[in-house]
């Protein structure tokens, strides 16, 4: 790799769920020995193999809170549905601290009258119900944890909220308790210098506030048909931190309530902290850190004689938590985010019982996370994906059954080529991408496909190739090529084997589709 010089590390404040300080490595001042040559690489795909259903991370997504670009939301929903990106589960917010207090569901529901006025949330939740089969509702009981409301009222208030939501919005299927409580009630205070024993919440105290959630859900479910019943889980930690996960699971394991429920464990995947919450280590420095999470979690579950197949929902992820960045000019960061999310999807796809949620359609303040082009001199654009959004569109075009796909060349750290491939009765597909983060290595990849599906062999097959890179399928590189771009289309007659060659610049992503002509 070229020799580089680097600026000192900068401290950058974070916004959103983790309003803290994150160390960000900036781009090098100079490249002393620029290397523009392509390295040869090999990809092997066996379309005769079968590896189960292809994971569909593009169908698990997040809306921002109620006040995140509401004027665009209905158009976004229509466009997502039209493009084939209708969701299986969308995560929505009804008590976000970033939304106006008058839209907090805890202020809209009243025990005294046993009533909720959800009108301010109606457009938001109706849009979400239109774009997704099921809704995961994040409910964060901030006032109860902070002692501003009596703990005894939490369970009945939750029951009233959940019952009211389910009655008006039948697609509510999941209730997620908390949002980053380890940060909100502990880590942020530690970061600001408070001793651990003086923070609002300790790790062994979190479960006390979770139990009212399953109690409320159990009561609501008694009046529902089995197919309509709600699932409950959490605690939506800012990371899969043993200091918080283990005490939470300990408390659940010894809970003797016959109605206890933990239908999924949720957490986020951005970074990790040191014990004092002073120094953050972003996952973007080596995304492989998430590759063993399921194995670790299974061990924790087995130690407590809990179900090792408990689903894990990674309800937020990305490489840019808060206002972090690699370049102050975000043009290169947009494509990095797209390639990173493809890589996250690959790493979690190889872990059973694990479900990645994309973050998010349009972020309230952070442009690098947007799936739609939002921040331009003329304001948000309609029906225009960012590279990240186009990557999800690529994923939606993949076929249903995963097959064996292997990159023959070793990674350099986590940098290098990744691939996934699939098939079904309509044809064959594969994605291949070059995750480089801030690296600059390019590849010429020879893709060798074997045991081509029988319905494609010796027939006329339409091959379509799509690309996302710094100038293609990228509004920020070329507004005229903002849509997902087919860079090649031709009729071929593959036999039992077929070979294609693609040139992958840093963080470029390709999709190859083979379908009957």
């Amino acid at each position: 790799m070229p020799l580089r010089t680097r600026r000192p590390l900068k401290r950058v404040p974070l916004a959103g769920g983790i309003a803290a300080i994150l160390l960000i490595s900036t781009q090098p001042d100079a490249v002393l020995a620029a290397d523009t040559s392509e390295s040869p690489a090999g990809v092997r795909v066996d379309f005769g193999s079968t590896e189960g259903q292809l994971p569909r991370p593009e169908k698990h997504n997040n809306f921002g809170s109620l006040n995140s670009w509401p004027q665009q939301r209905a158009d976004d929903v229509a466009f997502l549905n039209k493009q084939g990106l209708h969701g299986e589960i969308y995560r929505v917010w009804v008590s976000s601290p970033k939304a106006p207090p008058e839209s907090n569901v805890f202020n809209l529901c009243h025990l005294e009258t046993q009533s909720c006025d959800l009108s301010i949330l109606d457009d938001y939740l109706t849009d979400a119900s239109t774009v997704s089969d099921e809704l995961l509702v994040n409910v964060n009981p901030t006032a109860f944890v902070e002692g501003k409301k009596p703990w005894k009222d939490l369970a009945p208030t939750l029951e009233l909220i959940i019952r009211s939501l389910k009655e008006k919005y039948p697609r509510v299927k999941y209730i997620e308790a908390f949002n980053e409580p380890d940060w909100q009630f502990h880590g942020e205070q530690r970061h600001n210098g408070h001793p651990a024993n003086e923070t609002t919440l300790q790790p062994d105290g979190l479960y006390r506030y979770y139990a009212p959630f399953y109690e409320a859900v159990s009561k609501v479910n008694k009046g529902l048909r089995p197919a309509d019943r709600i699932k409950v889980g959490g605690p939506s930690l800012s990371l899969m931190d043993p200091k918080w996960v283990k005490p939470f699971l300990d408390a659940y394991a010894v809970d003797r309530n016959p109605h206890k429920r933990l239908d999924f464990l949720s957490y986020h995947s951005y970074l990790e902290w040191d014990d004092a919450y002073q120094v953050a280590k972003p996952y973007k420095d080596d995304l492989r850190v998430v590759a063993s999470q399921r194995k670790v979690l299974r061990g924790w579950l087995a130690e407590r004689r809990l179900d090792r197949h408990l689903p894990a929902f990674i309800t937020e992820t990305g490489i840019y938590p808060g206002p972090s960045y690699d370049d102050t000019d975000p043009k290169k960061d947009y494509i990095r985010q797209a390639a990173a999310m493809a890589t996250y999807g690959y790493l979690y796809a190889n872990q059973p019982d694990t479900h990645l949620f994309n973050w998010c359609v349009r972020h309230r303040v952070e442009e690098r996370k947007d799936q739609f082009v939002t921040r331009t001199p003329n304001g948000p654009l309609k029906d225009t994906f960012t590279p990240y959004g186009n990557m999800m569109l690529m994923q939606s075009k993949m076929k249903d059954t995963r097959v064996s796909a292997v990159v023959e060349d070793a990674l350099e750290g986590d940098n290098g080529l990744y691939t996934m491939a699939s098939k079904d009765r309509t044809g064959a597909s594969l994605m291949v991408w070059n995750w480089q983060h801030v690296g600059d290595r390019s590849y010429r990849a020879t893709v060798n496909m074997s045991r081509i599906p029988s319905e494609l062999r010796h027939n006329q097959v339409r091959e379509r190739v799509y690309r996302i890179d710094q100038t293609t399928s990228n509004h920020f590189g070329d507004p005229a090529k903002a849509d997902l771009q087919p860079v090649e289309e031709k009729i071929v007659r593959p036999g039992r084997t077929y070979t294609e060659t693609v040139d992958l610049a840093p963080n470029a992503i390709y999709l190859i589709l083979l379908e009957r002509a």
Side-chain angles (χ1 to χ4, degrees), residues 224-272:
L224 299 176
R225 298 181 306 167
D228 295 330
R229 287 174 184 164
I230 298 168
K231 297 182 179 181
V232 61
S236 191
L237 297 168
S238 65
L239 67 150
M240 200 185 86
D241 186 345
K243 296 193 301 295
W244 288 84
V245 178
K246 286 184 175 183
F248 184 81
L249 294 177
D250 286 338
Y252 178 72
V254 300
D255 186 347
R256 298 303 177 214
N257 188 328
H259 300 295
K260 74 175 183 180
R261 298 186 57 177
L262 181 64
D263 295 310
F264 61 91
L265 185 82
S266 63
Y267 60 90
H268 299 167
S269 190
Y270 295 111
L271 48 75
E272 60 187 46

Side-chain angles (χ1 to χ4, degrees), residues 47 399 423-428 451-461 494-495 514-517:
F47 281 110
K399 306 305 180 181
K423 65 181 179 181
D424 60 24
R425 293 180 179 178
T426 68
R451 294 201 287 176
I452 298 294
S454 58
E455 58 268 23
L456 300 180
R457 294 180 198 171
H458 309 299
N459 290 309
Q460 284 195 337
V461 171
L514 299 175
E515 298 170 325
R516 287 284 296 268

Side-chain angles (χ1 to χ4, degrees), residues 19 146 181-202 276-278:
E146 293 179 342
D182 52 327
W183 176 254
Q184 181 182 5
F185 304 119
H186 184 87
E188 185 173 19
Q189 296 166 49
R190 295 282 289 122
H191 182 79
N192 291 331
H194 292 276
N197 62 355
E198 295 181 9
T199 60
T200 301
L201 189 66
Q202 304 300 313
Y277 291 88
Q278 297 302 306

Side-chain angles (χ1 to χ4, degrees), residues 10-248:
K10 290 185 176 180
R11 293 187 179 271
V12 182
L14 291 184
I18 305 177
I21 304 297
L22 178 63
L23 292 177
I24 303 297
S25 176
T26 63
Q27 282 292 89
D29 288 318
V31 177
L32 301 184
D35 180 5
T36 59
S37 62
E38 293 178 317
S39 301
V43 176
R44 289 184 288 107
V45 180
D46 179 3
F47 281 110
S49 63
T50 299
E51 296 188 348
Q53 287 292 108
L54 182 76
R56 292 290 189 181
E58 77 278 5
K59 291 185 176 292
H60 294 170
N61 206 357
N62 272 268
F63 272 144
S65 59
L66 175 73
N67 60 334
S68 295
W69 309 98
Q71 296 84 358
Q72 281 70 43
R73 198 166 50 235
D75 286 338
D76 292 346
V77 164
F79 188 67
L80 287 163
N81 284 336
K82 181 180 179 181
Q83 293 297 308
L85 280 169
H86 184 83
E88 290 181 359
I89 309 174
Y90 260 62
R91 182 172 178 245
V92 294
W93 307 73
V94 295
S95 53
S96 171
K98 304 301 179 184
E102 59 269 23
S103 67
N104 187 318
V105 74
F106 287 100
N107 299 326
L108 304 176
C109 294
H110 306 285
L111 288 178
E112 299 82 4
T113 59
Q114 283 293 298
S115 63
C116 295
D117 180 1
L118 303 177
S119 56
I120 193 172
L121 297 171
D122 188 57
D123 287 348
Y124 175 66
L125 295 177
T126 299
D127 286 338
S129 299
T130 303
V131 79
S132 187
D133 296 336
E134 298 173 337
L135 301 185
L136 183 153
V137 182
N138 180 272
V139 183
N140 194 20
T142 298
F144 291 90
V145 178
E146 293 179 342
K148 297 174 182 177
K149 290 187 177 182
W151 183 83
K152 66 180 179 60
D153 288 347
L154 180 54
T157 302
L158 288 170
E159 181 185 352
L160 176 61
I161 289 171
I162 295 166
R163 189 184 308 279
S164 299
L165 286 169
K166 183 66 174 179
E167 287 176 354
K168 191 165 186 180
Y169 309 100
R171 294 198 172 187
V172 171
K173 184 69 175 182
Y174 302 89
I175 297 295
E176 182 185 39
F178 314 107
N179 182 60
E180 299 186 348
D182 52 327
W183 176 254
Q184 181 182 5
F185 304 119
H186 184 87
E188 185 173 19
Q189 296 166 49
R190 295 282 289 122
H191 182 79
N192 291 331
H194 292 276
N197 62 355
E198 295 181 9
T199 60
T200 301
L201 189 66
Q202 304 300 313
D204 61 1
L206 179 60
Y207 187 80
R208 177 175 185 258
Y209 296 95
Y210 173 75
F213 278 85
Y214 76 65
E215 292 170 0
V217 167
S218 293
K219 290 181 178 179
V220 173
N221 279 344
K222 287 181 180 179
L224 299 176
R225 298 181 306 167
D228 295 330
R229 287 174 184 164
I230 298 168
K231 297 182 179 181
V232 61
S236 191
L237 297 168
S238 65
L239 67 150
M240 200 185 86
D241 186 345
K243 296 193 301 295
W244 288 84
V245 178
K246 286 184 175 183
F248 184 81

Side-chain angles (χ1 to χ4, degrees), residues 465-477:
V465 181
Y466 298 85
R467 185 175 74 233
I468 304 170
D469 61 19
Q470 199 59 48
T471 59
T472 308
S473 309
N474 188 341
H475 166 84
F476 308 102

